[in-house]
Amino acid sequence: DDPGPKSSRPCKTKLKNQDGQLFNVESHSDKQLRHFKFLSVSFMSQLLSSQSFVKMIVECEETEELQELEQRLLEEVLCYINTVASSVEANVNKPTAKFWRVLLNKSYDMLDKVNALLPTETFIPVIRGLMTNQLPSVRRKAMDLLNNKVQQRTKWQKSQILQLLELIPELIAIVQCKRKNEEEEQAINRQTALFSLKLLCKGFGTENPEPFVPVLKTAVDLISSEKEEKNVMGSALLCIAEVTCILKAQAIPQLPRLMPALLKTLKNKKELVSNEIYLLSAVTALLKVAETLPHFLSPYLLDCLLQIVRLEKIVVEFGPTSQISLRVTSLKTILATRLAPRILLPAVTKCYSEVANTRKNGLGPLMNILKEHIVAMEKEHLISHQSELTAFFMKALDFRTEHAQDELEEVGKTEACIIDCLISMVMKLSEASFRPLFFKLFDWSRTESTLKDRLLTFHRIADCIADKLKGLFTLFAGHLVKPFAETLNEANISKTDEAFFDSENSTEKSCLLLQFTLDCLQKLFLFDTQKFLSKERAETLMMPLVDQV
């Protein structure tokens, strides 16, 4: 590679032939030079793994001089790999491309042999020395070697663990770009350092949490920075996820900085959609924080719910079995099952108010969280919060009325989620608790003559409850016979010239109302074992039904 005259090439080694050179390029061809390089690396690889050589190393006393030699050997191998890797890139479209690829593989094989030769007590100081090397590629490879060792080895002595934990400040310095004589640490190196910190935390943090407190602080600093590179931020988010799990209560002081920064990363939809790994990292971090410290989330709960509503729209594109979808589902479950009703219910009510007008399609995920929460609720909690839940549902069930001009199908989908959530509460109530609620809903649907859309909602609720309670619904349905008969007559176009609904889509709404009414009556008759259909009720309903036919 030396552009200068071949005769003046300096020789840095003591091994020389008669001409004073290790290998005379004047009298050999390029092919012979490549062959010589390949043989040299192969010889090194074989020597380092030969039984006799390994035996000599084992029997040799581990002195400071030997440790320095081992570090130098590792450094030289790493630098050589760097040089070969550059040649692979430079010769990618040339006939020699295959040779350089094979030589690179052989060089990596040689690196593995050197690595295997080092006892753990030597390995850690050697890696520490390499992490301060001037070459970024050597620093990165040193961290890769460390990562491999931590991942592969399962048993460590206490002294070795303490040595590994002493590497944390060095790794933090790389993450923070604090290096002498160097302006900026490579992004890939910072990512590798964050991965090393994550692995050390996973392996040794449970028994030794203290050294990881500054790691969390550093990672929070990173995600709080607006100028940070996205891949580095992704690694920082994964590091936060791991460290928070380990630190538990010790992570609480960082929450006032961590949560706003974390929620802010989830707000930038454009960046999340364009970078799937970044999105997964952010969701994982939020999931782990919620899992570890659910009782400290109340100041950030409304924002969490709003972000989940947003995320649901994004993750649909990845499919229900993707890692992102599964983690968002886990996050919803944690918020639904690990928080007390006194904390979650006010946040759900506020979130509903914000989402109902701005992102109507986002109400489905919110209702799913509330439904899961109600299903998991203790009976005494449900009784004490029934009035709060009833007030919420009375507000939420007005969704159809408030969006009377919107597309019927979309409104119907959202309303289905709200009713499904309401039914989960109904199924947990006693007859004494359910009866007043049902009649409250009945009165609500008829109080405002101008709000006929409420009738649609109520008839749909009655149909859903009839489907769930089956024969038991006849205990509450006596009040419905006369109003249902009136509805069948009022919505019959052969009996009246006036449209039942005052809107452009009046016909579609009338059809929908008839569908819910007839479905509910059909279930009442089907499941009636208590002689609900008396002569009087049959006469009330007979003519309206025949007239509809």
Side-chain angles (χ1 to χ4, degrees), residues 257-319:
R257 289 173 63 238
L258 166 60
M259 286 305 292
L262 186 50
L263 291 165
K264 194 176 177 184
T265 62
L266 288 166
K267 279 180 186 171
N268 198 326
K269 187 182 172 185
K270 193 177 174 185
E271 283 176 357
L272 293 173
V273 173
S274 62
N275 191 332
E276 189 180 337
I277 294 170
Y278 180 52
L279 171 59
L280 185 60
S281 304
V283 172
T284 305
L286 186 56
L287 170 63
K288 293 294 181 186
V289 173
E291 206 171 52
T292 311
L293 303 165
H295 305 301
F296 297 89
L297 289 183
S298 49
Y300 322 102
L301 190 53
L302 176 59
D303 265 344
C304 283
L305 291 171
L306 287 167
Q307 294 318 317
I308 289 169
V309 166
R310 268 201 202 103
L311 282 171
E312 196 76 27
K313 205 173 177 183
I314 298 171
V315 299
V316 167
E317 299 165 27
F318 296 99

Side-chain angles (χ1 to χ4, degrees), residues 71 75 123-134 138-139 142 167 170:
Q71 182 173 330
E75 276 180 8
F123 171 81
I124 300 168
V126 165
I127 290 296
R128 190 172 190 165
L130 291 175
M131 274 162 53
T132 57
N133 191 282
Q134 290 303 305
V138 172
R139 293 198 295 275
L167 295 175
E170 306 278 351

Side-chain angles (χ1 to χ4, degrees), residues 339-502:
L339 294 170
R342 62 185 172 76
I343 293 168
L344 185 64
L345 296 182
V348 168
T349 306
K350 282 181 191 170
C351 187
Y352 177 87
S353 300
E354 286 202 30
V355 174
N357 295 317
T358 52
R359 287 188 298 278
K360 299 183 282 273
N361 298 343
L363 286 174
L366 183 66
M367 290 299 115
N368 290 343
I369 291 172
L370 182 57
K371 180 186 173 182
E372 198 171 347
H373 182 67
I374 291 169
V375 170
M377 250 185 187
E378 299 287 338
K379 197 163 187 180
E380 57 268 26
H381 284 158
L382 184 61
I383 293 164
S384 61
H385 290 279
Q386 191 183 335
S387 59
E388 190 181 350
L389 282 165
T390 303
F392 169 76
F393 283 119
M394 299 309 265
K395 179 185 175 184
L397 289 167
D398 258 331
F399 183 82
R400 184 182 286 279
T401 308
E402 288 164 2
H403 299 87
Q405 303 308 315
D406 290 6
E407 200 178 317
L408 269 180
E409 192 182 342
E410 289 304 313
V411 171
K413 283 179 187 174
T414 302
E415 186 183 72
C417 295
I418 297 168
I419 292 174
D420 190 35
C421 191
L422 170 67
I423 299 294
S424 70
M425 181 175 90
V426 167
M427 297 307 289
K428 294 190 81 168
L429 296 175
S430 64
E431 184 189 333
S433 302
F434 171 59
R435 191 178 290 276
L437 170 64
F438 185 66
F439 292 130
K440 190 172 185 176
L441 287 167
F442 176 75
D443 293 339
W444 163 85
S445 70
R446 296 185 170 266
T447 44
E448 297 273 351
S449 58
T450 54
L451 302 176
K452 285 189 175 176
D453 283 271
R454 281 184 175 182
L455 271 181
L456 263 173
T457 303
F458 177 73
H459 285 218
R460 189 176 188 180
I461 293 168
D463 178 37
C464 292
I465 294 174
D467 185 51
K468 289 287 184 184
L469 295 184
K470 300 194 165 43
L472 288 173
F473 189 55
T474 56
L475 299 170
F476 313 97
H479 282 68
L480 301 182
V481 175
K482 198 177 174 188
F484 274 21
E486 286 170 7
T487 302
L488 289 170
N489 284 330
E490 286 172 26
N492 192 332
I493 51 167
S494 65
K495 288 189 174 186
T496 176
D497 294 331
E498 284 184 32
F500 190 78
F501 292 95
D502 302 324

Side-chain angles (χ1 to χ4, degrees), residues 216-224 252-263 300:
L216 181 61
K217 188 177 177 299
T218 303
V220 172
D221 288 341
L222 271 183
I223 66 163
S224 303
I252 295 167
Q254 291 299 326
L255 280 184
R257 289 173 63 238
L258 166 60
M259 286 305 292
L262 186 50
L263 291 165
Y300 322 102

Side-chain angles (χ1 to χ4, degrees), residues 523-536:
K523 291 180 180 77
L524 268 172
F525 303 150
L526 179 66
F527 301 126
D528 175 21
T529 55
Q530 307 295 318
K531 297 185 180 175
F532 170 78
L533 197 63
S534 62
K535 186 185 178 192
E536 187 188 331

Side-chain angles (χ1 to χ4, degrees), residues 127-152:
I127 290 296
R128 190 172 190 165
L130 291 175
M131 274 162 53
T132 57
N133 191 282
Q134 290 303 305
L135 283 174
S137 59
V138 172
R139 293 198 295 275
R140 182 167 69 254
K141 196 66 202 172
M143 290 184 283
D144 283 338
L145 291 171
L146 172 67
N147 296 348
N148 291 339
K149 197 87 160 181
V150 173
Q151 282 175 298
Q152 288 165 7

